[in-house]
Amino acid sequence: MNEHSFIILFNIEYPMSNKKERILLATEKLLAEYGFHGLSMQMVAKEAGVAAGTIYRYFEDKDDLLYQLHDHILGYVANKLTLNVSDEMPLKQRFRTMWLNIWNMATRDDAPLINRGQFENLPRRNNHEQRLLEKKMFAQVDRLFDEGKACGQFKDLDNEILSVLSLEPSSCLARKHMKGLVTVTDEAIDATIDACWDAITKH
C-alpha cells in the first residue's frame, strides 16, 4: 500500500502532559509555518515549552525527530483510516467505512497543520524494518483487497492499483470539496462510493 496516498490535511492533537508528543506537535506546526529550512531544534524547544536539552532525551538529532514525526503521522492516518473497521464485516461494508474515514479525515478536522506535500518530503528510513512497519500499519487495507481477490470479487490487480482506483478518489474529492471547487452532497458521496467499488469489482 502507498500509505502516502491518504495524507490529506489534518491537525493531530496530543496530550499536553506528554513532552515527547508536545515536541512532535511543535515540530509539525513549525514545519507547516516555516518549512524544513526554517526549522531548528531551538525553535522546536521554544514552541513545545521545553528546554532544548529535553529534546535529546527522546530524539537523537533533527533527522531522528523527523523520522519519528513521519511514523507518528503515519500511525495517526492508519488509525483514522481503519476506525470502526473489522475483518468480520462484509467486504463492501469495510470498503465503505474506509472510504468515509478518509473523507471525514479531510473534511472534519479543522486547523490543518502539515499537508500532503510536506508529509511526502519528510525524511523517512528506507530500510526493511521501516517497510515492515508501514505494511503493518495498513494491514487491514491489504487484507480487504487480498480477500476480495481471493474470493473472485475484486479484479486481479496489485493492491496499490486497487487503492488508486477505489480509495484515493475520496481524498482527491475531499480536497476539491474543501477548496470550494465542487459541492458534494450526501447523495453524491453514496454514488461516488458505489462508482469506486464498481471500479475494482468484477462484473
Side-chain angles (χ1 to χ4, degrees), residues 31 34-40 62 66 114 117-119 121-123:
L31 281 175
Y34 302 107
F36 294 98
H37 298 298
L39 182 71
S40 71
K62 183 177 176 180
L66 295 177
I114 187 170
Q118 289 170 321
F119 176 82
N121 285 321
L122 277 174

Side-chain angles (χ1 to χ4, degrees), residues 5-201:
S5 304
F6 307 117
I7 303 296
I8 313 161
L9 296 171
F10 49 84
N11 175 17
I12 304 175
E13 296 182 357
Y14 304 110
M16 289 300 102
S17 60
N18 187 314
K19 288 184 179 180
K20 181 176 181 179
E21 292 184 338
R22 281 163 53 191
I23 293 167
L24 289 168
L25 176 59
T27 305
E28 183 200 4
K29 181 178 179 181
L30 291 170
L31 281 175
E33 292 180 0
Y34 302 107
F36 294 98
H37 298 298
L39 182 71
S40 71
M41 299 298 257
Q42 290 77 15
M43 291 172 64
V44 171
K46 182 178 180 180
E47 182 67 33
V50 300
T54 301
I55 296 178
Y56 296 98
R57 295 180 187 174
Y58 305 100
F59 309 96
E60 294 178 4
D61 51 27
K62 183 177 176 180
D63 284 344
D64 185 47
L65 171 58
L66 295 177
Y67 289 150
Q68 292 197 45
L69 177 62
H70 173 279
D71 292 347
H72 201 82
I73 291 173
L74 209 57
Y76 170 86
V77 172
N79 287 335
K80 285 282 189 178
L81 173 63
T82 56
L83 184 67
N84 298 321
V85 175
S86 167
D87 289 344
E88 284 69 45
M89 291 177 173
L91 287 174
K92 189 166 186 180
Q93 185 181 356
R94 269 187 274 171
F95 172 78
R96 178 182 175 83
T97 303
M98 289 182 185
W99 200 101
L100 288 172
N101 283 344
I102 296 169
W103 173 268
N104 291 335
M105 183 166 54
T107 59
R108 292 185 181 176
D109 289 348
D110 58 359
L113 297 182
I114 187 170
N115 62 41
R116 177 175 173 174
Q118 289 170 321
F119 176 82
E120 290 179 342
N121 285 321
L122 277 174
R124 58 192 287 266
R125 299 178 183 89
N126 188 20
N127 55 35
H128 181 65
E129 289 74 17
Q130 181 68 26
R131 289 189 289 273
L132 286 178
L133 173 64
E134 295 176 5
K135 188 173 182 64
K136 181 179 179 180
M137 286 180 178
F138 291 88
Q140 276 190 294
V141 183
D142 275 326
R143 286 199 298 272
L144 169 72
F145 292 139
D146 289 342
E147 290 176 26
K149 288 185 287 187
C151 71
Q153 191 166 2
F154 289 172
K155 295 173 182 176
D156 189 20
L157 297 170
D158 184 84
N159 287 357
E160 177 63 27
I161 298 175
L162 294 175
S163 175
V164 170
L165 291 172
S166 61
L167 292 175
E168 283 193 38
S170 178
S171 61
C172 179
L173 185 61
R175 286 195 297 271
K176 291 181 180 294
H177 176 72
M178 293 301 288
K179 291 179 180 179
L181 299 176
V182 61
T183 300
V184 184
T185 64
D186 290 343
E187 292 76 14
I189 289 176
D190 288 337
T192 303
I193 292 173
D194 287 340
C196 290
W197 174 260
D198 288 343
I200 62 173
T201 53

